[in-house]
C-alpha cells in the first residue's frame, strides 16, 4: 500500500484537427434531452398522485338551498276528502271517455259517489260544529260587552282619577256591575297574544294552502292535441294528473276549494274570538283541542271510511303544473312567502286584539290598573275567584 507508484509519463493530448470533431453528436444531444424530460416527469408524478389522493367535492346541486325548477313541478295529493274527490273526478272522466268495459265504468262512478258523500259530510260537520261552538260559547262570552261597556269604563276611570283613588262601591248597581266584570275579565298578560299568534299561524297556513291549490288548479296544462287521458303514469310508478279541461277546473273550485275555504275562514274567526274572550287558562286549552279536531274532520273521514285501495291511489298521485308566477321566483320561494305569512299572522292578531275586540282589551287594561291600586285580598287559586293582576300585585309586595 505504501509502495510508491512507478513514474509514468502523461499521455499525450490528442488535439482535434478541426472544429467539427469537437462538437457533440446530434444523437447524443437528443438522448440527453430525453433523459432530462424523463427525470422531470418522474418528479411530477408523486405530486400528481398526492393531488389525486385528495378528494375534491363535487358540484352537487342537491347541496344548494336553491336549485331552481324546470318547466313543470309536482304537488302531492293529501289524504283528505277534497283530494280524494279530485282524483275520483279525474279517474271517472278518463274511464268514461277513454275507458273500457261497462263494469269498470260502474266501479269508477260508484267510487266517485262515495267520495262525494264523504266530502259533503265533512263540509257539513265543519260548518255545523263551528256554528254550534259560536252560538254556545262565543255569544255567551261576548254578552257582557255588548251594551254599557263605555259607562263601566267611565266609572272605573272616575274612581281612579280621584285624589286619593276611591274604590268602587258594591251598593251602586253600575259600579258593582263594573267591579264584578273586572273580577272575571282580568288580563293574563301576554297569554292572549301568544295563543292568538299560534292559532293565527296555524290557520294562515291552512288558508295559504288552499290558495296554493287554487293557483295550481289554474296552472295544470289543458288537454293535449291527441285527446289523451288526464291521468298519466310516470316511470317511477307515480300517477300524475297531467291535464285538465276548464269544466273540470271549475268543478274542482266550486265543489272542493271554495267550500273548504269558507269553512276554514269561519273556523279561523270563531277560534280567534273564542280565545280573545276567554279569561282563564283552563278555558283556553279545551277550545284549542276542539277547534283542532274540527279542522281535521276531512282527514279523519277520509282515512276512516275510504277503501284501502283508493287511499293507496291517492298516496301515489301528484299534480303536474307549469312553473310560473311565484313558483318560478327565487325570492318568492326562499323568503317572500315566509314574510307574507308572518305579515298575515300579525294582521290577524291585530284585527282580533285591537280592532274587532279593542274595547275588551281596553277594559282589561283598565281593570289591571284598578287592581294595582285596590288588589283583591280574597284571591286564591283553589277557589273559583279569578286572580290575575291581584296575585302579581301580592308577589310584588
Amino acid at each position: 500500500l505504501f509502495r510508491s507508484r512507478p513514474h509514468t509519463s502523461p499521455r499525450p493530448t490528442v488535439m482535434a484537427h478541426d472544429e467539427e470533431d469537437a462538437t457533440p453528436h446530434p444523437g447524443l444531444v437528443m438522448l440527453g434531452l430525453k433523459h432530462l424530460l424523463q427525470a422531470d416527469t418522474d418528479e411530477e408524478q408523486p405530486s400528481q398522485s398526492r393531488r389525486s389522493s385528495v378528494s375534491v367535492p363535487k358540484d352537487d346541486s342537491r347541496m344548494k338551498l336553491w336549485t331552481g325548477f324546470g318547466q313543470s313541478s309536482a304537488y302531492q295529493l293529501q289524504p283528505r276528502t277534497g283530494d280524494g274527490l279530485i282524483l275520483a273526478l279525474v279517474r271517472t272522466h278518463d274511464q268514461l271517455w277513454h275507458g273500457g268495459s261497462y263494469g269498470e265504468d260502474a266501479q269508477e262512478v260508484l267510487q266517485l259517489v262515495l267520495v262525494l258523500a264523504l266530502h259533503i259530510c265533512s263540509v257539513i260537520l265543519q260548518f255545523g260544529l263551528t256554528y254550534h261552538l259560536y252560538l254556545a260559547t262565543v255569544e255567551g262570552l261576548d254578552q257582557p260587552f255588548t251594551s254599557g261597556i263605555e259607562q263601566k269604563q267611565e266609572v272605573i276611570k272616575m274612581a281612579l282619577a280621584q285624589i286619593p283613588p276611591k274604590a268602587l262601591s258594591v251598593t251602586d248597581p253600575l259600579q258593582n256591575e263594573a267591579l264584578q266584570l273586572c273580577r272575571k275579565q282580568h288580563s293574563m298578560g301576554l297569554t292572549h297574544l301568544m295563543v292568538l299568534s299560534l292559532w293565527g299561524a296555524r290557520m294562515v297556513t291552512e288558508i295559504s294552502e288552499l290558495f296554493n291549490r287554487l293557483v295550481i288548479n289554474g296552472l295544470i296544462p289543458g288537454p293535449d292535441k291527441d285527446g289523451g287521458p288526464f291521468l298519466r303514469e310516470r316511470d317511477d310508478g307515480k300517477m300524475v294528473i297531467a291535464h285538465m279541461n276548464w269544466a273540470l277546473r271549475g268543478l274542482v273550485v266550486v265543489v272542493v276549494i271554495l267550500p273548504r275555504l269558507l269553512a276554514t275562514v269561519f273556523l279561523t274567526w270563531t277560534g280567534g274570538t273564542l280565545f280573545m274572550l276567554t279569561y282563564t287558562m283552563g278555558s283556553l286549552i279545551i277550545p284549542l283541542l276542539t277547534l283542532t279536531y274540527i279542522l281535521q274532520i276531512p282527514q279523519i273521514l277520509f282515512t276512516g271510511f275510504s277503501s284501502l285501495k283508493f287511499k293507496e291511489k291517492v298516496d301515489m298521485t301528484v299534480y303536474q303544473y307549469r312553473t310560473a308566477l311565484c313558483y318560478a321566483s327565487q325570492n318568492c320561494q326562499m323568503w317572500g312567502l315566509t314574510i307574507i305569512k308572518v305579515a298575515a299572522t300579525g294582521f290577524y292578531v291585530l284585527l282580533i286584539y285591537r280592532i274587532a275586540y279593542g274595547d275588551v282589551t281596553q277594559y282589561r287594561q283598565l281593570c289591571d290598573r284598578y287592581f294595582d291600586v285596590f288588589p283583591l285580598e280574597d284571591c286564591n287559586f283553589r277557589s273559583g275567584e279569578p286572580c290575575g293582576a291581584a296575585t302579581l300585585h301580592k308577589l310584588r309586595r
Side-chain angles (χ1 to χ4, degrees):
L1 292 174
F2 296 98
R3 186 184 303 174
S4 61
R5 293 184 179 181
H7 178 74
T8 57
S9 60
R11 295 180 180 179
T13 304
V14 180
M15 301 298 293
H17 297 283
D18 50 12
E19 288 295 326
E20 292 180 357
D21 295 334
T23 57
H25 194 274
L28 295 176
V29 174
M30 295 300 296
L31 183 61
L33 291 175
K34 181 177 180 181
H35 283 291
L36 289 175
L37 293 176
Q38 183 68 26
D40 294 337
T41 305
D42 293 340
E43 291 178 0
E44 290 179 357
Q45 282 181 354
S47 61
Q48 290 177 358
S49 62
R50 288 193 299 270
R51 289 196 298 267
S52 62
S53 62
V54 180
S55 60
V56 179
K58 297 181 180 180
D59 187 13
D60 192 359
S61 61
R62 291 176 298 179
M63 299 297 294
K64 299 179 181 178
L65 191 59
W66 170 264
T67 57
F69 293 102
Q71 296 296 326
S72 61
S73 301
Y75 184 82
Q76 177 68 46
L77 292 183
Q78 303 298 322
R80 297 176 178 176
T81 56
D83 287 356
L85 181 58
I86 294 174
L87 179 59
L89 286 171
V90 175
R91 289 179 61 90
T92 304
H93 172 272
D94 290 347
Q95 184 65 33
L96 294 178
W97 269 264
H98 306 281
S101 62
Y102 174 78
E104 294 179 356
D105 295 346
Q107 290 180 0
E108 293 294 341
V109 172
L110 179 60
Q111 183 65 57
L112 174 62
V113 172
L114 293 176
V115 179
L116 179 61
L118 289 177
H119 179 68
I120 294 175
C121 289
S122 67
V123 173
I124 293 176
L125 286 175
Q126 277 189 314
F127 272 107
L129 291 176
T130 306
Y131 182 72
H132 180 73
L133 183 65
Y134 186 87
L135 290 180
T137 307
V138 175
E139 287 192 352
L141 294 173
D142 193 29
Q143 184 64 33
F145 299 97
T146 54
S147 61
I149 188 66
E150 292 82 5
Q151 291 81 2
K152 297 172 187 177
Q153 290 181 359
E154 290 297 328
V155 168
I156 299 175
K157 289 179 181 179
M158 291 175 59
L160 294 176
Q162 296 183 13
I163 303 177
K166 184 179 179 181
L168 296 176
S169 175
V170 295
T171 58
D172 185 87
L174 184 58
Q175 293 184 13
N176 185 34
E177 187 177 355
L179 179 60
Q180 296 302 324
L181 185 59
C182 274
R183 289 175 179 269
K184 291 182 178 180
Q185 295 290 335
H186 66 286
S187 177
M188 293 185 293
L190 298 177
T191 304
H192 287 95
L193 286 176
M194 290 188 295
V195 175
L196 283 174
S197 299
L198 291 175
W199 178 250
R202 179 72 175 88
M203 300 310 294
V204 164
T205 303
E206 290 290 329
I207 295 176
S208 64
E209 182 69 17
L210 291 174
F211 280 108
N212 185 33
R213 298 289 186 89
L214 183 62
V215 175
I216 288 177
N217 185 68
L219 292 177
I220 297 176
D224 51 5
K225 296 181 180 179
D226 57 356
F230 293 165
L231 191 65
R232 309 291 176 86
E233 185 176 359
R234 293 194 314 198
D235 296 336
D236 57 355
K238 285 278 189 179
M239 303 300 297
V240 180
I241 301 178
H243 302 278
M244 270 192 183
N245 54 23
W246 285 106
L248 192 56
R249 297 175 202 266
L251 190 62
V252 169
V253 172
V254 174
V255 178
V256 179
I257 298 179
L258 188 58
R260 190 181 168 196
L261 180 62
L262 295 176
T264 304
V265 171
F266 186 29
L267 186 63
T268 303
W269 179 258
T270 302
T273 305
L274 183 60
F275 293 141
M276 182 62 194
L277 296 178
T278 303
Y279 49 87
T280 59
M281 285 299 298
S283 302
L284 278 174
I285 297 174
I286 296 177
L288 181 60
L289 298 176
T290 304
L291 293 169
T292 305
Y293 176 78
I294 295 175
L295 187 62
Q296 295 177 352
I297 285 178
Q299 184 177 358
I300 293 173
L301 291 181
F302 182 80
T303 56
F305 295 99
S306 294
S307 63
L308 181 62
K309 194 66 176 178
F310 189 72
K311 286 188 287 187
E312 292 178 356
K313 295 295 184 182
V314 172
D315 294 335
M316 294 171 55
T317 306
V318 297
Y319 288 109
Q320 182 176 336
Y321 60 95
R322 293 180 291 105
T323 303
L325 302 178
C326 186
Y327 303 100
S329 172
Q330 178 179 356
N331 295 329
C332 183
Q333 292 293 323
M334 292 293 291
W335 51 268
L337 292 178
T338 302
I339 293 180
I340 292 174
K341 290 180 181 179
V342 171
T345 303
F347 176 75
Y348 172 77
V349 175
L350 180 65
L351 178 64
I352 298 293
Y353 195 77
R354 286 294 182 183
I355 300 177
Y357 292 96
D359 53 349
V360 178
T361 302
Q362 294 177 1
Y363 191 83
R364 286 172 174 170
Q365 293 174 352
L366 191 60
C367 291
D368 287 344
R369 291 174 51 194
Y370 178 82
F371 287 133
D372 286 339
V373 180
F374 304 101
L376 292 172
E377 298 296 338
D378 57 345
C379 175
N380 60 81
F381 288 100
R382 294 185 177 180
S383 64
E385 194 73 30
C387 296
T391 303
L392 297 178
H393 183 75
K394 290 181 181 180
L395 294 176
R396 287 198 298 267
R397 289 192 301 174

